Amino acid sequence: MGKDPLPDEEIAACLAGLPGWDREGNTITREFGVRYHGGVALIVNVADVERLVGHHADIDLRWDHVRFRITTHDAGHRLTAADFDLAARIDRIAAAHQAQAHNA
């Protein structure tokens, strides 16, 4: 997956295809509502995929939700195609865990 920084227009197009993800500077973020132990299981599944694709998110686990923040450190903390690929994978894993969109 490409690790070259994306221009703003392409970032906007990628975000349009990933409802629920928000841009915060040079990161994309999303929160899912899930109880603590379900969140732990979700994180373990995400971590397995991250290891396979060689890209990872910063993850914050709370008692009722999990927050993912993604950027490409190797690209100077900029957004790349790898970030949006990982976000789509996280969405699929979260759906399998029946995690819901979380309003922070």
Side-chain angles (χ1 to χ4, degrees), residues 63-84:
W63 75 270
D64 68 340
H65 70 276
V66 176
R67 182 173 195 249
F68 296 92
R69 177 184 294 254
I70 308 171
T71 190
T72 300
H73 304 285
D74 296 346
H77 298 274
R78 304 273 309 276
L79 290 168
T80 69
D83 300 315
F84 294 98

Side-chain angles (χ1 to χ4, degrees), residues 23-73:
R23 183 177 184 182
E24 293 180 4
N26 286 320
T27 68
I28 54 173
T29 65
R30 184 159 189 200
E31 294 186 23
F32 295 95
V34 61
R35 300 291 281 177
Y36 184 82
H37 289 91
V40 171
L42 170 62
I43 290 168
V44 168
N45 287 155
V46 168
D48 285 343
V49 168
E50 290 173 333
R51 181 180 51 81
L52 292 173
V53 300
H55 196 51
H56 70 277
D58 293 327
I59 303 170
D60 181 25
L61 172 65
R62 302 299 168 143
W63 75 270
D64 68 340
H65 70 276
V66 176
R67 182 173 195 249
F68 296 92
R69 177 184 294 254
I70 308 171
T71 190
T72 300
H73 304 285

